[in-house]
Amino acid sequence: MPFSLAANWWSFALRGVLAVLFGVFTLVKPELSLAMFVFLFAWYAFVEGSFNLLGAVRSTRAGEPWWPLLLEGALSVGVALLLFGRPDLSWRAMLTFLAFWGLTTGALELVAASMLRKRFEGEWLLASAGVASVTLGTVLALAPTPNPLKVVFWLGVYAFAFGGALVALGLRLRGYNVDREQSALGPPLADP
């Protein structure tokens, strides 16, 4: 297991909590204006991408695979900046960007999960997050011209599922990190 991922378990858990909060908010308040929703999604993508970029830097320093994190982070930050800079995008253009984002980030998450497979038994949690992203991208790409409320609902469900997988992955990494630290210390001392 890459040490940097296990040592930074909290970043997965935090990203997951943010995704779940975004998902819950979206499901509870689907009637928000489209502009407000795009703004919230852009912030979510920016934070998500920033964490991935930081993870790529840490992975590079540790000599671990870094390129999936870098590409996913750059794409998420790029989509966020595009949405911040162009809040007047047409509904169809926004759906195209979101579909591309979901398909691409999901594919990169699946690649990262396959890289973890040899080092960590919880890689399926990252793979399930990737499947959620690919599913979102596919639904948005294949939808004729969906009602904005349906898209908000799909994004809310996606964020909830994606976030839950990341929280579980973060907790699993934390457990791995704790076990690794305890085994480095050796067996516990017996009481006299």
Side-chain angles (χ1 to χ4, degrees), residues 61-137:
R61 290 180 185 160
E64 300 162 359
W66 52 268
W67 64 270
L69 290 170
L70 177 69
L71 293 176
E72 186 177 352
L75 178 63
S76 292
V77 169
V79 165
L81 293 176
L82 174 80
L83 292 174
F84 283 137
R86 295 288 316 267
D88 60 336
L89 277 177
S90 72
W91 177 239
R92 194 48 160 160
M94 189 185 79
L95 284 180
T96 302
F97 281 115
L98 291 177
F100 177 76
W101 175 82
L103 288 168
T104 307
T105 59
L108 290 168
E109 288 154 1
L110 290 170
V111 167
S114 71
M115 291 175 156
L116 284 179
R117 180 173 228 169
K118 295 174 186 167
R119 302 175 183 169
F120 180 62
E121 292 179 11
E123 87 286 348
W124 64 272
L125 292 164
L126 184 57
S128 63
V131 168
S133 297
V134 168
T135 301
L136 173 71

Side-chain angles (χ1 to χ4, degrees), residues 127-165:
S128 63
V131 168
S133 297
V134 168
T135 301
L136 173 71
T138 302
V139 167
L140 293 179
L142 297 179
T145 304
N147 176 322
L149 285 178
K150 285 184 181 178
V151 171
V152 169
F153 174 77
W154 293 335
L155 282 165
V157 169
Y158 154 76
F160 193 77
F162 178 83

Side-chain angles (χ1 to χ4, degrees), residues 162-178:
F162 178 83
L166 285 186
V167 167
L169 177 62
L171 294 175
R172 183 86 177 233
L173 286 168
R174 180 180 181 273
Y176 177 88
N177 199 37
V178 167

